[in-house]
Amino acid sequence: MSPTLISHPPHESHPQVAQLLKESYLTHLQTLTPPLQFTIFCSSNYVSINRAILYGSLVEPSIAKTCLKYLHAIVNDGYLVFCGLVSLVVDELYGKMVDVCKVRLIWIVGVMVEVNGIGFGGVVVSLLRRIEGGEFGEGNLWLCYEVVGVLMGKWDVVVVEEPMVLTSALYVFLRVLGDHCRMERSRRSDELVRRETEFCVRVLREQFGLCLNMGRDLIRLLKDLSHVPEFCDIWKDLVSNPGVFRTPEFSDISVLYRRRTSSRYFLLRITPEMEVQLRFLLSHVKLGGQKRHQIWFARKFLYSPERETIISDIMRFICCAHHPTNEILQSDVVPRWAVIGWLLKCCQKSNAEANAKLALFYDWLFFDEGVDNIMNIEPAILLLVNSIPRYMDITHNLLEFLLSLVEKYDVEGMGMIIKGVSSAFGILIKRGVICSVEVLTSCTSLSPILKERLQKLLLSNNEARALKDLQPLQPVVDFTMSSVLNPTSDELQTSVVPRNAAEAAGISAPTVSCSSVLVNSECEPQNIENMIDKLGESITKSKEMRLLLLEKIFMVYVSHEGGLEAIDCSPEALAHNLAKQLEVNGYRLFDPVECPSNSLDGDEEFKSATDVVIRVFIFSQNQKILDMLLHWSRSSRPVGAHMLSYALRLAFEAQMACDKANLHAMDAAMPLLRTHVNAYFAFISGDIIVETVPSSATVDKELINKLIDRTFRSYEYMLSYMRDASSEESPIPLGMQLSTDLLSCSEWKYRRFGVLLHAIFSHLPDLAAGDEHVMRLLVSQLEQRDLVALRINLSLRRYSIFGECAETVLQLVRNSSHWDPIEQHKLWNLIISELPLSNFAVEKLVLDVFCSADLDPTHHSLSVGGILMLCSSCAPTPGLVGAVMLLPDDKFPDFAAAVLANWVASNPSMLFSSIAEFLDKILMKDGTIQIDWIKMINQSAVLYLLDYLGAMDGGGISVLNKLYANLSAIKSKLGWGTDVKALISVLAQRNASQLKQIWEAYKDLYNEDLIKQLKSELAGNLQRAICHWVLDPRDREAVFVNEALKKKTEDYKRAICHWVLDPRDREAVFVNEALKKKTEDYKRAICHWVLDPRDREAVFVNEALKKETEDYEVILEISCAKSPEELLAVKRAYYQRYKSSMEEYVASHTTGKLRNFLLAMVGTYKYHGNEIDEITAHSEAIVLHDEILDKEFGHEEMIRIITTRSKQQLLATFNHFKDIHGTSITKDDAANDEFFAMMRAAILCIKNPQKYFAKALLRAMKGLGTDEDTLTRVIVTRAEVDLKKIKELYMERNNVSLEEAVAGDTSGDYKAFLLALLGN
């Protein structure tokens, strides 16, 4: 029987993926059968051969290793296609795979991780999704064990290349550990728990910075494991000792609480099959018909009590990872809250039910509107509300659980939790998910104790007190359908408030039920269609009749809570029909700015159809009207611009009215305000007549302010709703939408941009203040007179345009450096007008700009000029003076002195008082200056003060002179002096690990980088040698590569720096140097020496790749003398340091056949075993000889043989070459061009690397001059490998010791250092 990949019932069709893999395998079977024939595949065949290799590796154990060797030889995409195929197999076939194929699959995944295949992270994540919660079968536990083994065994690769895989695995294993700790004890289970615990603890201890990305659910999982000693210790450190995690941004546990967990983590705990079923249930199954789907789901995935633990994972997935579209939310598809209610009923164990409830409410505890999504908390509140009254036990249990969570989940963080839960209730009310909390607090079936606890919770937080203000965003009038159609006699008597009573009461008109004016047959819901039809007729009769009928339609529509089932009267349908009926008669709702239509209405904001729609929404805040506005907005109508224009004009007229002594006089100059106030009284009384309140009605300033504020809040609410309803992945920010609407308003006929600003920043500070889009619009549109008026208002502190958030201002200043110079100038004028008079910490802004790594005198000159004017406008407070005294002076050296000069002229007494306070902080008891402060003080500031006080004979000059003396002496105090011999004796005799300890100790002791200090104290060749030497070997090699890539002169002085690199990274550096070096360089030996060997090699490669005279020997040495693993490490170090692959740089610095040869040398992962094929060796020896004689040095066969065969196979081929032709392949002079010279050098390095390096040293010191590049490279890279053997061969061939030769060709400290490496 032929081996199979999967097992499936006979009645099921064979999966397409498995069929495709098998077909490709059969097609390429001959290719994968030894002896292997290597070829270059086109794109389509390349994918096919990858499928064949994967299938063969999985089902044919005899050729599995051969298949992967073949893959290593032909790969040209970094294993991208292969890893993609492996992920596909895991996602679609893993559940059906036979066990033996699963074992080989794990082996393949380990290989892909080891070779750093592109996409291996996705493969590991796919495997993680296959680990099922609550499943204790052998297969599932085996998979846990193997995946942990792969991650721990390949830790270094995963940390460097795919660090986020660690957080995904941490989430999975923290979750399943809770299950595994509770299963029946056995030796195997204990070993699994031990390995999982070891992995999780290692990730948390060593990579906690990555763990922060997991957000607040990390705490939820850790609390579930608090009974495990290892995690108990971690929990204690999180709470009491956060510094142990060495993560600056983690100051306390609240940092995690404030971070929302990404939905991708919740997908990890749901298998692909479960995800498909859940999404189908929540997207296609109708409410009422879900029962059979739920039964099937429970039998498939919740078949045992142990599986209940996965219900909490399903809860998190439904709440946080599955957000239905608006279309589904408005349909009769089963809602999320109903599925969650069913899942809670499935919980039989108390701990499973508690975890499920916690998963449901977890985001409530820390809810922040700026961070969290309302869709995450919506299912819980709907389940609470919709369970009344039929399922009161659910409402009671959930509410009791929520209140207990608030009180007990984190006692120390209870304040944050109270704020989070209150914020959750607030946003749910604000967005119209529920009308108010009264739906719970007024429920007679709910426990009075629970209702009292809920009210106490909401009133305990300041933010919760705003809930009462949020509730009027729901309809002011109680438009229930029962009150409209069946009013009581009492209601008929009291529903209409006499206008004279309203006038006498000012704003105290009561909130009552709908008036009997609406109770007539024309207003029946089923007659709305007739009313819409009559709308067209009314247009032809009179404008007033049309507005009356339009408002009547809206009044009936918003009064019906349950929806109009009898007819198609959805918000979208009504919006479409109304707009169509009006357009047929020549009027367009929400006319675009470019073509205003005044044929029916005259002034668009004064008694128009658009005006009616806006007012109905402002007064009712009805969800249906909001959906209609959303529909019109999606039809490219400027809804937001019209509503903002309405609000702005209303605010403008209100200001005019409030400026008058008598508020009665709302005359022709204020038509919109008059109409709005009249409509307000009509609305609260239930009267639909638009203009019946006399102009002499008593209207006070408080009422006007409330009406204006409500109008702007309605606009902000609409923008937020439209943003949340957007189907785009990155919806337009609110500030950008505001600026777009504002620009449209400024273009309308009677608008001037400057006039609008007061209302914008007074009523919409959360949207406008400090927003980059609004600020950019402001400075680009403001005329000079408006700019002056705005600056006057800012100086008088009538409003703020930058707000109170320091980070917002800092970000605005950073981004403004890319603006037009005129715009920057205007912005800084505004900053100078507001910030000096506010509580803003100007020193933060000064330090943020000057301490930025991107500060550039060319691009940031306007910003620095603005800060100069800002500082001059501010009082010299101690904090600001201290910041100026500590400014770096490398980019703008006299800036601090200029600021001090301005303060001396404007406020000298306060300045010197602040300077005295500053000096008190930095002077020690003995009167000297602390070293840490000395290094930071701005010298230009000190010199200016000395000159000024000297001229004035000031009393503080002695202190400043002492300060300047300290500044001048600092280098001598911190420097190494001139004791170079002592320096060499300390450093040259230390290995890489010892040098690393010295470097770390120096930094801890002096808080300064040793490399920078060495560069400031040394010069010339010795400087570069020692600076490179003290680097970590990997860093050293990477530095060498980079220097070589950029070098334009020859480099003679790099020995010491290269020496301390890891050998693999060191080789990478040499390759790069060889290809790019152009001129000499004398100063790098010691600086290279201190690098880690792998990084050192990377630096050498980078340097070599930039030489003008190509130095390809570096590449050959690294690719020929290194093992495949070492070469891979060099390439990885090269990428880490230079963010580019070694292959990419080789390709860009070579051409023709030489490029093909070198690319193959560094890009192929060769077999490193001892197996050889004598027949292949014999045939390939003939091929090599024939091509040498024919001078076909660019032929792919010659390149293929040298670059793809293992070292042992090539040695066999070279032996056959000598046997057949009587001469060594390196002695064959049949051809003698550059290409063959490189080929011959590669062959010699493969055959006998020690002999090759001995010859290289001889060439480096032969004749006049010395090739310091080669001399440095060989001694440094081979010192820890085989330098002793090289020295013996050198002595044997040249009758002089290597030490004598080096001493004769070098001098000074450079000679001393090389001899130290040679053993003297």
Side-chain angles (χ1 to χ4, degrees), residues 1007-1072:
N1007 195 26
E1008 186 171 278
D1009 186 81
L1010 177 59
I1011 301 296
K1012 292 182 180 179
Q1013 187 63 27
L1014 286 170
K1015 288 182 178 179
S1016 67
E1017 296 298 327
L1018 302 175
N1021 299 337
L1022 186 64
Q1023 178 213 62
R1024 300 187 64 80
I1026 292 184
C1027 287
H1028 284 172
W1029 170 244
V1030 296
L1031 285 174
D1032 182 276
R1034 290 168 295 188
D1035 289 338
R1036 179 194 312 135
E1037 299 288 340
V1039 169
F1040 278 139
V1041 179
N1042 189 265
E1043 288 180 352
L1045 281 169
K1046 295 180 178 178
K1047 191 168 182 182
K1048 298 181 179 178
T1049 58
E1050 290 188 50
D1051 184 1
Y1052 292 90
K1053 311 245 174 154
R1054 297 164 305 163
I1056 298 181
C1057 297
H1058 287 177
W1059 161 247
V1060 293
L1061 287 174
D1062 181 278
R1064 293 167 293 186
D1065 291 342
R1066 182 190 307 140
E1067 298 294 336
V1069 176
F1070 283 144
V1071 174
N1072 198 288

Side-chain angles (χ1 to χ4, degrees), residues 223 257 364-367 402 405-423 457:
K223 281 203 171 188
Y257 283 149
W364 283 63
L365 304 183
F366 317 104
F367 188 81
L402 175 60
L405 276 180
V406 173
E407 297 166 0
K408 300 176 182 179
Y409 188 78
D410 188 340
V411 177
E412 294 184 359
M414 186 182 297
M416 174 187 292
I417 293 176
I418 291 174
K419 181 179 178 181
V421 175
S422 300
S423 299
L457 165 68

Side-chain angles (χ1 to χ4, degrees), residues 102 285 755 826 1045 1090 1271:
K102 291 181 179 179
V285 178
V755 179
K826 289 182 178 179
L1045 281 169
V1090 294
L1271 182 62

Side-chain angles (χ1 to χ4, degrees), residues 1142-1199:
M1142 188 185 296
E1143 291 90 334
E1144 179 183 348
Y1145 266 78
V1146 170
S1148 63
H1149 290 83
T1150 55
T1151 58
K1153 55 193 178 184
L1154 200 56
R1155 174 193 290 172
N1156 297 337
F1157 174 58
L1158 294 177
L1159 277 177
M1161 288 295 293
V1162 300
T1164 304
Y1165 188 90
K1166 294 183 179 183
Y1167 170 64
H1168 195 50
N1170 295 321
E1171 299 177 10
I1172 60 174
D1173 187 333
E1174 295 292 350
I1175 297 176
T1176 301
H1178 182 84
S1179 62
E1180 291 184 345
I1182 296 174
V1183 172
L1184 290 176
H1185 184 263
D1186 291 344
E1187 290 201 0
I1188 291 172
L1189 290 178
D1190 294 339
K1191 299 184 179 181
E1192 295 184 9
F1193 306 124
H1195 194 279
E1196 64 179 19
E1197 283 301 298
M1198 187 173 188
I1199 295 176

